[in-house]
Amino acid sequence: MAMIELRRLRAFVTVVEEGNITRAAERLFIQQPPLTRLLQGLEDELGVKLLQRLPRGVRVTEAGSVLFNEARALLARAEHLTEAVHRAARGEQGHIAIGFTSSAALHPFVPNLLRRYREILPGITTQLEEAGSGELLDALVDERLDVAFVRSPVGGIPGLTIEPVLRESMLVALPVGHPLAVNSEQPLPLEALTHESFILYRRPAGQGLYDAILAACHRAGFSPRVIQEAPRLPATLSLVGAGLGLSIVPASMRRLGGDGIIYRPISDRAQLSAPLYLALRSNRASAIIKRFRDLVTEAVSEQPTD
């Protein structure tokens, strides 16, 4: 219906509820003659008598009673539609697709943020997808995802923005019984791993962490001997637990535990940490994405220093 017809319906419903045109006009904040014209226009449009004029008020006809019930439902839906549009414009209603790497999902920051997001904005439906950083960035470019938490600071991808979120320490994951799997709370110098067998996650899946580990080893004076690569971090830990070698993983991976694995911190001299980034498209950001980004910024400001 056109806007003038909704006005006529609203005027008609108000008159029926009040049973009096004068009181209805006061409630609608209009004069009585314009209200009478609205009612007459509605009757002319429908071609039926809707109201019976009485000496002291009006009474709805049988046809008017049917219209009254339908009009109230229609006006309620119209009000709901308006509010829904406004909520969407404020980023409070709609849909968002969020990606994350397996290691990012294990850091308390990400699940806590998602839980908080759902509590604050229950009108937003979320789609979650786990993949490697490269796959997530491709999905962003293809607009299959709206935002993603990645470990790689990949720059130069047209249309994407990569923003730092936090950094966490990294640990050496060692099989039980390994000579270095003692004094587990004592920081381990990276050069102690010079002759060890490394198990790392494949570079396309974890490019940022892979490159950071290699760079730290080179600074320590050696090139790591990588004997096995795994598609995901959990698979890496499984191979460590099987005694095939050791690995270097973000500290949050410790939450997975793992049979047959001992974790040791790495000496600060290694200057090795695992960053977490928020990736999103640079342009055409919706109100929903902006609200999510603002919440990330707020949550980061509340994070304790690692």
Side-chain angles (χ1 to χ4, degrees), residues 177-244:
H178 191 284
L180 296 176
V182 294
N183 300 323
S184 60
E185 299 304 317
Q186 185 70 27
L188 188 65
L190 203 56
E191 51 267 28
L193 308 180
T194 300
H195 303 294
E196 298 295 331
S197 298
F198 279 71
I199 301 170
L200 298 180
Y201 20 94
R202 294 173 187 163
R203 189 173 184 275
Q207 180 178 348
L209 295 182
Y210 190 103
D211 291 348
I213 292 170
L214 263 61
C217 291
H218 290 157
R219 288 194 300 271
F222 71 99
S223 180
R225 184 165 63 94
V226 181
I227 63 165
Q228 182 72 49
E229 291 185 350
R232 292 286 186 271
L233 276 169
T236 301
L237 293 180
S238 296
L239 295 175
V240 172
L244 299 183

Side-chain angles (χ1 to χ4, degrees), residues 58-78:
V58 294
R59 181 168 58 202
V60 67
T61 66
E62 185 175 346
S65 179
V66 172
L67 178 63
F68 174 72
N69 293 327
E70 294 293 333
R72 280 206 304 183
L74 178 61
L75 291 171
R77 288 196 296 271

Side-chain angles (χ1 to χ4, degrees), residues 122-177:
I124 302 293
T125 60
T126 56
Q127 170 193 335
L128 303 178
E129 181 174 329
E130 180 183 336
S133 291
E135 297 168 291
L136 295 174
L137 294 174
D138 288 341
L140 279 172
V141 172
D142 295 339
E143 299 189 10
R144 290 180 282 113
L145 289 177
D146 296 307
V147 297
F149 291 101
V150 298
R151 291 292 192 178
S152 177
V154 177
I157 301 179
L160 291 189
T161 297
I162 312 293
E163 301 177 348
V165 175
L166 55 83
R167 303 186 78 88
E168 64 173 313
S169 58
M170 298 191 78
L171 303 173
V172 179
L174 299 150
V176 170

